[in-house]
Amino acid sequence: MKVTDTSDLWWKNAVIYSLDIETYDDSNADGVGDLGGLARRIDYLAELGITCLWLMPFYPSPDRDDGYDIKDFYGVDDRLGNHGQLVEVIRTAHDRGIRVIADLIVNHTSDQHPWFKSARRSVDSPYRDFYVWRDTEPPDTSHQVVFPDQEDSIWELDERTEQWYLHHFYKHQPDLNVANPKVRDELMRVIGFWIELGIDGFRVDAVPFFLDDVETQEAEGLAGNPHDLLRRIRAFLGRRKGSAMMLGEVNVTHKKQLAYFGGDHGGQLDMMFDFVTMQATYLAMARGDARPLARALAGRPQIHPACQWATFLRNHDELTLDKLSDAEREEVFAAFGPQEEMQIYGRGLKRRLPPMLQGDPRRIRMSYSLLFSLPGTPTLYYGEEIGMGEDLALEGRMAVRTPMQWTAGKNGGFSAAPPSKLMAQPVPGGYAPEHVNVADQQEDPDSLWTHVHSLITAYRRCPEIGWGEARIIEQPHHGVLAHRCDLDDSALLAVHNLAAEPVTLQLPVEGSDSSSVAEDVLGREPVALTGGGVELTLEGYGFRWLRVHQSRGALMA
Ligand code: GLC
């Protein structure tokens, strides 16, 4: 690998940060965060060290699914600002070395989208086939719904035309018929539009839903190979902007994920969130036993060298535990969310990480050290860098979508509006802005912000993590995850103790000779390499990142 490759395949070692403009910073005191507010925080994001900003949906929307229900794919919600201000944000971000990606929702529209409004008016509407209809009573599909608290079928009867339309998510989000070439043309036009405006790629929403949908597979064009659509979108994107990237939301098993990367040849999604490793991380932390995490990492399929895993501990949705067995999920619930109000959809948690770990700074720091050292590209959800908490009194996933906490002052510095006008209140209690905020933590060398900042710096200094060949280092302590990422003549060794008890371990370091030392990337004392390895003592929840250079002998071998 040459250092110049990192600018072409920039996503291989990016640091991604996601935020919803409406909860980030309100510049006009109307109680809603906006593009003007985000623009003045770009320097903050640059200082934190992120390299890619993922903007959650900013399109006009009836807002019944927090913006994921879109009624105009080309618009900017006027509560947030306008296209001009969006361009200013993109341009300012680019100036500070930050790329900007946007959510791309292919699976569905809002029922308020003009296409659907027309489609449901008559079976002869030119937009009728933009959606998926059936005219016979559907079977029981209650096991297929994504939001079991709200829906009991993926089909909804539309009384006027007496047919049922498909909706995997809420009934106000009808699924688009992506097998229809006209729909595909429209989607390409949307992609082309935002790319032309300066967007650098997309986080593609709900990918398996629009690909696996039996009805669309059977329809013309995509029969037998629904992945054609992803390939076509990727090729189109590449023609419009060579450096653009697609990061997919694909919560399926590792084995199945390979197909969404385009198998051995790539050419579909460039990146995918690693939901399996995320879930295994929580199981491992709940048990104080690193083996589930080691197994998950070992189970990743080999992917095309241009592709990458996006690692994460939290996103804007429920912290889903759907890939764990029932018994494993119960273990995580018992450890991190024992009360019913903390759980959601019977498969996940509506909490943020610090309250789940009872605010224990050692465990919180270790978790983020893990996130930044796991092979892949780390993704932060806004507020994680300061350890924001959740508001369990809020409905469902809204519990983790509270305003960013900038200061200890009024409304946490999010807005100058009267508190009653805020679109959401900052969290109350021990994680409220007076205890958790950016301003205080930026000044404090011992804060979580400073820790995350140094992890970002370390990650960016270690292309081994994003680009290297990763493997687990065998050692006898179940509480410890030891892994290494090798790139050219150097390797990053990361060791994390997920258990409460201190541990001393001997770690073999292949390719080292006894005269060398391992540099400590997080700024501690270097460690001597003796007898082909290192001896390390880790506190409970302790961690080290060591970098070794291959010895000449090993290189020649
Ligand atoms: C994705 C989004 C989620 C949204 C759903 C429907 O899963 O992450 O927030 O509700 O798609 O668009």
Side-chain angles (χ1 to χ4, degrees), residues 65 68 108 147 169 173 203 205 249 316-317 397 401:
D65 183 16
Y68 281 90
H108 50 263
F147 301 124
F169 294 89
Q173 287 169 325
R203 177 265 187 189
D205 190 63
E249 183 199 24
H316 62 289
D317 286 324
R397 296 171 293 165
R401 299 177 180 181

Side-chain angles (χ1 to χ4, degrees), residues 282-359:
Y282 281 96
L283 179 62
M285 292 201 295
R287 288 183 179 167
D289 182 336
R291 287 174 296 174
L293 176 55
R295 267 195 298 276
L297 291 169
R300 281 178 173 179
Q302 186 75 37
I303 57 177
H304 187 274
C307 293
Q308 180 60 302
W309 302 98
T311 51
F312 68 109
L313 290 171
R314 199 53 186 100
N315 65 15
H316 62 289
D317 286 324
E318 76 277 14
L319 194 168
T320 184
L321 301 168
D322 66 338
K323 295 289 171 288
L324 301 181
S325 71
D326 291 350
E328 291 168 340
R329 187 178 317 110
E330 286 309 321
E331 278 182 71
V332 179
F333 279 166
F336 298 142
Q339 290 155 28
E340 206 164 303
E341 56 160 4
M342 299 168 172
Q343 301 167 12
I344 181 167
Y345 311 137
R347 62 170 185 250
L349 289 163
K350 50 185 271 195
R351 309 191 76 189
R352 280 186 181 252
L353 180 125
M356 290 196 287
L357 301 179
Q358 274 104 35

Side-chain angles (χ1 to χ4, degrees), residues 248-287:
E249 183 199 24
V250 185
N251 180 11
V252 299
T253 59
H254 272 153
K255 208 165 149 221
K256 287 191 183 155
Q257 266 180 309
L258 187 59
Y260 294 85
F261 281 120
D264 297 339
H265 303 291
Q268 295 186 34
L269 293 169
D270 305 292
M271 296 185 81
M272 261 179 260
F273 289 108
D274 190 346
F275 281 89
V276 170
T277 298
M278 180 279 286
Q279 300 185 37
T281 306
Y282 281 96
L283 179 62
M285 292 201 295
R287 288 183 179 167

